[in-house]
Amino acid sequence: MKKANLNLAVSLFFTFLFFTFLIVILKDFIQLIHEDGRAYWLSSDGATYLEHYYRISKMEIPMLMWVQLAAVKTPILLLLLTGGTVWPMLLLACATFFFSLYSCTKYLERKRLSFIVTILLIPYVLFGFFAINKEIYLISSVLFFMTYYKSQNKKYLLFCILVLFLSRYYMLIVYMFCLVVFPVKKEKIRWNIILLSMLFISAVAPIILKGGITGYSAGGLLEGAGAASSISGELIRKYLYIFIYFPKYILLILSRYWTAYTSGIFGEIRGNLLGLLVAIYTTILFIVAFKRKHYYKSYNFRFLMMTLLAPVPLMFNDIFHWRYYVFTMPMLAYYLNQQPYNLKSSIYIYIMSLIKRKR
């Protein structure tokens, strides 16, 4: 193991031990806030998962329900395995996250510390160590995906898919989309496939939404929804997804500000605070990204495009919440880490190397 990677492994291992220590010390408090509902301040569904566990644990669970839990409700399945005890689940999430973070970071050539800090400060990560949530697994899966993208080591793709089923299984479509339109080690982005994909989704989205596919258009999602959600939903149903995609992308982030303003952050909807923090952090990362010089023909530019376009296969749905697209944040952090290609700088470095050789 290279010395730099050894130092990285040791640093992240002790960081993992620190969070493990906190989880064990606070395990009784963590269990309590999941039982009395205060976990909503730290995760969107932490308390809900425990409520569902108590209801299901009293039943005789048929085989089909076990399969359903394994496919789409893994937090409840894990609670059944731990007897409703929360802290072992958090240790599993913590270990998975730090292994994925180490795997991704060791393939970075520069600014490793800033990348680690950027990922750790994602609110769903920082708070996710202390409350049940799928987002920390989702971010771990993306980190494994970026590791595979950089190293082409298929074991990381396997880890990516395995962890994926602890979060949101439909992300597999996003990964397939990214691998097709941003082919590994190929210079060109396949803009034609991106355009064709958006046209295709624009054509089929109204049919899918009309059919009421579970999780994409659950009947009442648009009932009582905000204006932005209702308008985007109606436009997508009129085959205009290709035109509404980027406005919806922006509105998903901005809507968290509006929700916090209109409903309050310490009111009945306790998830508003976390949603606002995620929106603020996302905004900061995008401001930092767009203030940089972008070299459109460089290989690294694809990571910014991946951030902006990876949600294309999913964003036609009626769920209007930015947390479902938080998987873009590690991609954006990855872009911020990359050395931008600068032709003048490259020429200067080349000339200076020739001068040194002559000396």
Side-chain angles (χ1 to χ4, degrees):
M1 183 184 287
K2 293 180 180 179
K3 185 177 180 180
N5 286 345
L6 179 61
N7 291 337
L8 173 67
V10 171
S11 299
L12 286 179
F13 178 70
F14 278 103
T15 309
F16 162 70
L17 288 182
F18 170 73
F19 281 105
T20 297
F21 174 76
L22 287 180
I23 291 168
V24 173
I25 291 296
L26 298 171
K27 63 181 182 179
D28 292 333
F29 175 73
I30 288 170
Q31 188 72 31
L32 178 62
I33 64 174
H34 280 78
E35 290 177 353
D36 65 19
R38 283 179 291 168
Y40 281 116
W41 293 106
L42 303 177
S43 74
S44 299
D45 298 314
T48 303
Y49 291 135
L50 195 61
E51 288 176 13
H52 285 312
Y53 158 75
Y54 284 132
R55 179 175 56 82
I56 292 174
S57 63
K58 298 174 183 178
M59 303 166 44
E60 185 175 340
I61 305 174
M63 181 58 67
L64 185 61
M65 182 175 285
W66 281 109
V67 173
Q68 183 186 23
L69 290 173
V72 296
K73 297 179 180 179
T74 47
I76 300 172
L77 177 63
L78 292 174
L79 281 168
L80 287 167
L81 295 175
T82 63
T85 305
V86 173
W87 70 269
M89 294 176 58
L90 301 183
L91 289 184
L92 175 63
C94 188
T96 302
F97 169 77
F98 276 102
F99 178 51
S100 68
L101 182 60
Y102 166 72
S103 301
C104 190
T105 308
K106 74 177 181 178
Y107 284 100
L108 297 176
E109 294 84 11
R110 61 193 298 272
K111 298 196 299 185
R112 287 179 165 189
L113 179 60
S114 65
F115 179 78
I116 291 170
V117 171
T118 302
I119 297 297
L120 281 173
L121 288 180
I122 297 173
Y124 283 121
V125 171
L126 195 59
F127 298 141
F129 295 128
F130 307 105
I132 303 170
N133 72 101
K134 287 185 175 182
E135 283 72 27
I136 195 167
Y137 285 113
L138 180 60
I139 290 168
S140 298
S141 178
V142 176
L143 289 172
F144 278 130
F145 177 74
M146 301 308 294
T147 308
Y148 165 72
Y149 199 92
K150 179 75 172 180
S151 68
Q152 296 185 68
N153 189 328
K154 292 182 180 178
K155 75 177 181 182
Y156 293 114
L157 186 60
L158 177 61
F159 292 151
C160 165
I161 295 171
L162 289 175
V163 174
L164 180 65
F165 284 90
L166 291 170
S167 54
R168 306 188 189 283
Y169 67 94
Y170 49 74
M171 271 293 294
L172 189 60
I173 301 171
V174 172
Y175 294 143
M176 292 171 62
F177 176 76
C178 287
L179 290 174
V180 171
V181 301
F182 306 104
V184 179
K185 299 299 181 183
K186 296 288 181 66
E187 290 295 328
K188 290 186 178 180
I189 298 172
R190 292 172 173 166
W191 296 107
N192 56 335
I193 296 180
I194 294 171
L195 178 60
L196 289 172
S197 299
M198 296 190 79
L199 288 171
F200 175 75
I201 297 172
S202 298
V204 301
I207 300 170
I208 295 174
L209 295 176
K210 186 177 180 181
I213 289 182
T214 303
Y216 275 79
S217 180
L221 276 175
L222 290 180
E223 293 178 12
S229 177
S230 299
I231 292 170
S232 68
E234 289 302 317
L235 290 174
I236 291 169
R237 284 169 170 77
K238 295 184 185 300
Y239 306 95
L240 297 175
Y241 178 66
I242 191 170
F243 299 107
I244 198 64
Y245 175 78
F246 283 112
K248 182 175 180 178
Y249 192 112
I250 296 168
L251 287 170
L252 280 166
I253 301 169
L254 297 182
S255 66
R256 296 302 97 198
Y257 292 95
W258 180 251
T259 301
Y261 174 73
T262 56
S263 303
I265 57 175
F266 299 109
E268 185 178 349
I269 307 175
R270 286 163 288 188
N272 281 355
L273 177 59
L274 184 57
L276 177 63
L277 292 175
V278 174
I280 291 171
Y281 193 62
T282 305
T283 304
I284 292 170
L285 290 187
F286 270 117
I287 289 173
V288 173
F290 287 119
K291 284 183 70 177
R292 295 180 60 170
K293 290 182 179 179
H294 306 289
Y295 302 94
Y296 307 105
K297 293 184 179 181
S298 72
Y299 182 81
N300 294 326
F301 183 68
R302 67 184 47 226
F303 298 116
L304 178 60
M305 292 298 98
M306 196 180 290
T307 302
L308 296 174
L309 295 168
V312 163
L314 302 180
M315 203 176 277
F316 67 87
N317 68 74
D318 286 333
I319 301 173
F320 208 85
H321 203 302
W322 179 240
R323 72 185 174 99
Y324 287 89
Y325 306 100
V326 73
F327 62 82
T328 58
M329 297 182 76
M331 296 176 179
L332 185 55
Y334 200 88
Y335 173 70
L336 292 173
N337 176 270
Q338 302 305 299
Q339 174 67 52
Y341 175 75
N342 187 321
L343 183 59
K344 291 182 180 178
S345 176
S346 300
I347 293 172
Y348 174 77
I349 292 170
Y350 177 70
I351 294 172
M352 291 302 296
S353 67
L354 290 177
I355 294 172
K356 288 180 180 179
R357 283 180 188 176
K358 288 181 179 181
R359 288 178 180 176

